[in-house]
Structure formats: structure tokens, C-alpha cells
Amino acid sequence: MSTVFEFPKIHAFPPLYTKQPNLTILHNQLESWGEIILSYCQHYKITSLSLQGAILHTQLNDVDINEVPPLFENRNINRSVSDDFKAMIFKHLIHKLHRAEYINPKQPEAGILIYWKTLVEWANILHDFVERTGQLGSVLTVYELTKLEDSGVDEDLKDLDYNLLVRILKGVLIKQGRAQILMNEDGTQIGGVKIV
């Protein structure tokens, strides 16, 4: 398993866990939580979380989700963040920092994609991998882009969350004219990807 994430000192500061009434302090508090979430998710290569802060997807196969320290709780000081305050923190991450978005905006309870790399950074990694491996213009499956062991999949792309891949393709590469997608027969999943 990867090393245990070392929370910043502020994670042991009891007032961090309660929504502060002063707007300036609240803004700083939300910014601190944003930094903690992004660092934590990058450390464990977490690409999606539940609204409660539980891990929905990590790219690391050797991580036991039950052994990862909880994000919104510090047992040493007996503090945890309320669900209402978590919702506010996630809204700040989504709407102010633009480093997250709901997996399904119509069903927020489905969870949140966390962008510890921006979508543009992810798109560049994906495009560079396809170009480096001489596959520009070829139709590739999602499996070939994120799972296939002998394809030399970039470490950053290995076991990438399908929902994140869709955002990278539709939100960046297709808009830039650098990708096309082919849907499967029932139109629910991506059947193939052509990066140009």
C-alpha cells in the first residue's frame, strides 16, 4: 500500500470542523478544506468521493479503502464535519475552485469527481500518451486507454475512473477538435475513442 497521507497541521485544529459564522474566516476555512481534499485525493489517486467523503474510486490497486484515514474526521481530537458543512465544502470545491463536479448533476448523491489535476492537464496526458505510442488516428477502447497492461498505459491513466475519462474527452479533447468518440450500440457507454 502507498504511504499514509500526512494531514496538514490545520487538520488537528478543532474549529476547522465547524462552519464558522464570520464570512472571512469561513472563506479561509473552505479554502483550507479545498487544499486538504485535493492533496489527500492526489496522494491516494482518488478520482471520486461520495457526498460523505468516502472513496468511490482510486487508481491505486494496492489501497485498502478501509485503512485510509477518514478525510472529514480527526479521531485524535474527536472532531468530524457535519453532512451540511461537507455539502458546503464540496460546493466551494465545485463552484469556486472549479476542481470538482458532480458525477451526475441530476443525481448529486451519485458522488463527486475530484480534479487534483485539471481536466486540461488530464487531456494533455491522454493526448501525449496516444501520440507517444503512435496511435493518433486509431480507434482505441476505454480498456486500451486505461487498463491494458501490455499497452504501456501511462501510470497517470492506469485504472482511470470511466466518469473522469468521459469528462476529459467531452469537456476538453472533443471541444478542442482533438478527439472523437464512438458510442456502443445502446448509446450508453463509449465504445471507442479516436485521438487526433
Side-chain angles (χ1 to χ4, degrees), residues 49-147:
L49 293 170
S50 74
L51 294 182
Q52 291 71 43
I55 299 168
L56 295 178
H57 185 273
T58 173
Q59 291 176 264
L60 299 177
N61 293 322
D62 62 346
V63 169
D64 180 349
I65 292 173
N66 300 315
E67 290 183 17
V68 173
L71 177 57
F72 290 113
E73 183 181 341
N74 188 327
R75 293 177 185 138
N76 294 333
I77 58 169
N78 199 26
R79 288 283 192 272
S80 62
V81 177
S82 71
D83 286 344
D84 286 346
F85 191 34
K86 283 178 199 169
M88 179 181 266
I89 292 167
F90 281 134
K91 283 179 181 165
H92 184 78
L93 200 61
I94 293 167
H95 300 295
K96 297 284 189 235
L97 300 178
H98 307 288
R99 297 303 294 264
E101 79 184 285
Y102 293 110
I103 293 170
N104 181 346
K106 293 176 183 165
Q107 294 177 309
E109 65 279 0
I112 296 171
L113 289 168
I114 304 294
Y115 300 148
W116 40 274
K117 286 187 194 299
T118 65
L119 287 179
V120 170
E121 289 171 328
W122 280 115
N124 289 336
I125 289 167
L126 180 59
H127 190 275
D128 291 349
F129 163 67
V130 173
E131 185 174 25
R132 189 175 64 251
T133 55
Q135 300 179 88
L136 284 178
S138 302
V139 176
L140 302 166
T141 64
V142 170
Y143 184 82
E144 289 172 307
L145 291 173
T146 62
K147 303 262 194 267

Side-chain angles (χ1 to χ4, degrees), residues 157-171:
L157 300 173
K158 197 167 278 181
D159 294 315
L160 193 66
D161 187 312
Y162 175 81
N163 293 303
L164 178 55
L165 180 63
V166 170
R167 295 303 198 299
I168 295 164
L169 293 168
K170 291 183 175 179

Side-chain angles (χ1 to χ4, degrees), residues 127 130-131 135-139 173-174 176-180 193-196:
H127 190 275
V130 173
E131 185 174 25
Q135 300 179 88
L136 284 178
S138 302
V139 176
L173 290 173
I174 289 174
Q176 293 175 341
R178 298 196 299 167
Q180 299 169 339
V193 178
K194 186 182 198 179
I195 309 280
V196 293

